[in-house]
Amino acid sequence: MVFSRKKKRRVVVIIETTRAYSREVIRGIARYNREHGDWMVEFSPRGLEDHSSLWLKDWRADGIFARINSTTFMETILETGIPTIDLRRTILHPKIPQIGPDDRKVTELLFHHFRQLGFLSFGFLGVRAEPHTSMAIRRKSFAELVKKEKLQYSQLIVSDVMDNTYRLSARKRNMYMRIRKWLQELPPQTAIVGCNDDMAFRILEECRSLGIAIPDTFAIAGIGNDECFCELGHPSMTSVDLNPQRIGYEAAVLLEKLMRGEKVPHASYVEPWGVVPRVSSDTVATDDEAITIALQFIREHACEEIGIRDVLDQVHLSRVSLEKRFKKFLGRTIYQEIMRLRLDHVRKLLATTQMSHKQIAREAGFRYQEYMMRVFRQMTGMTLKKYRETNRIT
């Protein structure tokens, strides 16, 4: 008896492994392949600049995942005619679909994170846009959000010289000096966003060199949630998790369609997972001691079935008085702040664990599972099941 085998597609993964973000993207691709693809995969560890891909011309592949960072690399891929998904979005080409984080949503998350902490002054450290398209979007959208509310804003744009060499070049020294000068000109209680974790880490280090207390004087956040940067900084650094596993998974969905001859959008965007708060933004920009005490108590105990009465007991104020201060400072009620933190915890548990809905309700401080499910759907527009399927992190 002769057994016929279905021909397996051969896929090349040309993605650097030196960054946590890229490794998580690869994990997302791997998860799709386990669940749906069954591809033969060509992959080797590499750095971002390791794109000597002339071998591609002789390799019989059905599809390519790549983080394209040069016109030479782009031209080599185009010459092969192999369906390709670009996951870097540095160089645009109409024949190569791209996918990445929704950068406007990223800046919205950071802006609202800091507004919820009461900040009225903002700073942004970015790099020159070319060739970093996503960096330009982050800078512009963050500025628009701040200016729309007519809040104080300052930005500094520097050359991207965050290379992998240990030599402190003249360009790097000049960049560090510019950052220090800029920081010295910012008013206290400013929330500063770095266009990525590299730049946010640089802000932390320059603040340390100047003796600026973080988060007492400035609150700082990055983008990317690279734990190497976030935990190496002192204090540890708040950042946005860009949901790279989901980006890799959705890139695989797109490539499968391309290999079948189907059309896909030229640009696709994945919503970030959320802000991951750490010590660098663990503060409240207010002189109202009651608000500070109440918010600290809510942060520490929101998932312990606390109620408004428990919060009032910490500050010895009437409900009317504290609610008035909450609405003025945060634009929310005490109950809404408690519920916001509980739902954030629900999202995290759905994405990162296999807990049942009943277990999650208990962990997040909901007495009844049904109530949690109803509130979650009202706030997110999604069922718990749908959210878990969409945002699952393995």
Side-chain angles (χ1 to χ4, degrees):
M1 182 180 292
V2 178
F3 294 93
S4 61
R5 289 186 177 180
K6 182 182 177 182
K7 182 182 177 183
K8 293 185 178 181
R9 291 194 171 92
R10 301 173 68 85
V11 171
V12 186
V13 178
I14 312 175
I15 298 175
E16 75 275 15
T17 52
T18 52
R19 289 296 182 111
Y21 173 87
S22 301
R23 292 194 297 273
E24 288 300 299
V25 166
I26 294 169
R27 288 184 68 191
I29 294 170
R31 181 158 70 87
Y32 177 88
N33 193 28
R34 287 195 305 272
E35 295 175 0
H36 306 288
D38 196 24
W39 302 324
M40 299 291 293
V41 178
E42 173 70 16
F43 168 72
S44 298
R46 66 182 68 240
L48 181 60
E49 303 301 325
D50 301 336
H51 51 70
S52 53
S53 51
L54 294 176
W55 55 271
L56 267 176
K57 297 178 180 179
D58 301 318
W59 207 82
R60 295 180 180 178
D62 298 294
I64 300 172
F65 295 103
R67 297 249 301 158
I68 302 172
N69 67 326
S70 74
T71 53
T72 301
F73 188 17
M74 173 74 77
E75 289 167 0
T76 300
I77 287 179
L78 287 169
E79 286 176 12
T80 68
I82 299 171
T84 300
I85 299 294
D86 175 29
L87 292 109
R88 184 165 169 80
R89 303 179 302 164
T90 296
I91 301 169
L92 305 179
H93 194 283
K95 291 185 178 180
I96 299 185
Q98 301 181 324
I99 188 170
D102 185 336
D103 292 301
R104 289 182 173 81
K105 184 65 176 178
V106 168
T107 56
E108 285 178 16
L109 285 172
L110 282 172
F111 178 70
H112 292 302
H113 172 72
F114 284 123
R115 283 296 290 123
Q116 288 160 2
L117 297 174
F119 283 90
L120 301 175
S121 175
F122 294 85
F124 188 92
L125 177 62
V127 296
R128 301 199 187 284
E130 296 74 21
H132 303 283
T133 307
S134 62
M135 302 300 173
I137 294 172
R138 292 173 189 177
R139 173 176 56 82
K140 291 176 182 177
S141 59
F142 192 76
E144 288 169 1
L145 288 166
V146 178
K147 292 174 181 177
K148 183 179 180 180
E149 293 200 16
K150 299 180 180 178
L151 302 173
Q152 190 166 352
Y153 182 67
S154 175
Q155 69 177 25
L156 175 66
I157 309 301
V158 298
S159 299
D160 186 5
V161 291
M162 304 300 289
D163 53 49
N164 295 322
T165 64
Y166 290 98
R167 183 172 61 87
L168 187 60
S169 65
R171 289 180 67 208
K172 274 189 177 180
R173 283 195 296 270
N174 178 62
M175 181 184 75
Y176 294 173
M177 288 176 61
R178 290 187 64 200
I179 294 173
R180 284 195 290 271
K181 183 175 184 297
W182 178 63
L183 291 170
Q184 289 172 314
E185 294 171 352
L186 293 176
Q189 292 196 333
T190 293
I192 309 174
V193 171
C195 64
N196 54 25
D197 285 337
D198 305 51
M199 285 301 178
F201 178 77
R202 192 71 257 152
I203 296 167
L204 277 176
E205 291 303 292
E206 297 311 319
C207 283
R208 290 190 70 193
S209 73
L210 293 169
I212 296 173
I214 306 299
D216 298 330
T217 304
F218 299 144
I220 297 169
I223 297 172
N225 198 40
D226 188 321
E227 291 192 0
C228 180
F229 281 108
C230 294
E231 299 298 338
L232 186 62
H234 184 69
S236 59
M237 189 173 74
T238 295
S239 189
V240 178
D241 187 327
L242 296 174
N243 208 357
Q245 269 200 45
R246 192 68 205 177
I247 291 170
Y249 190 94
E250 294 300 329
V253 172
L254 293 174
L255 186 60
E256 180 65 40
K257 289 181 178 180
L258 277 183
M259 292 188 295
R260 292 175 183 167
E262 300 175 25
K263 290 185 178 180
V264 301
H266 181 259
S268 300
Y269 306 97
V270 174
E271 283 202 12
W273 188 80
V275 175
V276 181
R278 296 185 179 88
V279 180
S280 70
S281 69
D282 188 13
T283 186
V284 178
T286 179
D287 296 325
D288 189 324
E289 185 179 4
I291 289 290
T292 302
I293 293 171
L295 286 175
Q296 188 66 37
F297 177 78
I298 292 172
R299 284 186 198 172
E300 294 175 359
H301 302 284
C303 296
E304 298 174 13
E305 289 193 32
I306 62 169
I308 296 172
R309 181 72 259 170
D310 299 301
V311 180
L312 296 174
D313 288 344
Q314 305 302 309
V315 296
H316 308 294
L317 289 174
S318 70
R319 178 169 180 173
V320 173
S321 177
L322 188 58
E323 289 283 18
K324 185 176 180 180
R325 296 189 193 190
F326 255 69
K327 288 179 181 178
K328 181 179 179 181
F329 181 68
L330 293 178
R332 292 189 299 278
T333 65
I334 301 169
Y335 170 80
Q336 287 170 337
E337 179 64 10
I338 294 171
M339 199 57 60
R340 183 183 70 83
L341 293 173
R342 285 181 181 171
L343 291 177
D344 280 349
H345 196 50
V346 171
R347 290 188 187 94
K348 180 179 179 180
L349 294 176
L350 286 170
T352 60
T353 76
Q354 295 300 319
M355 285 184 178
S356 68
H357 295 170
K358 185 176 181 179
Q359 289 174 311
I360 290 174
R362 185 167 58 247
E363 287 289 323
F366 288 93
R367 185 169 298 178
Y368 303 108
Q369 171 186 333
E370 295 77 14
Y371 180 63
M372 175 189 71
M373 295 170 69
R374 184 167 69 252
V375 173
F376 188 87
R377 186 161 192 170
Q378 288 173 349
M379 298 298 292
T380 67
M382 300 175 72
T383 64
L384 297 175
K385 181 181 178 182
K386 182 63 176 178
Y387 186 89
R388 172 169 267 167
E389 289 173 351
T390 305
N391 296 276
R392 180 159 57 96
I393 298 174
T394 58

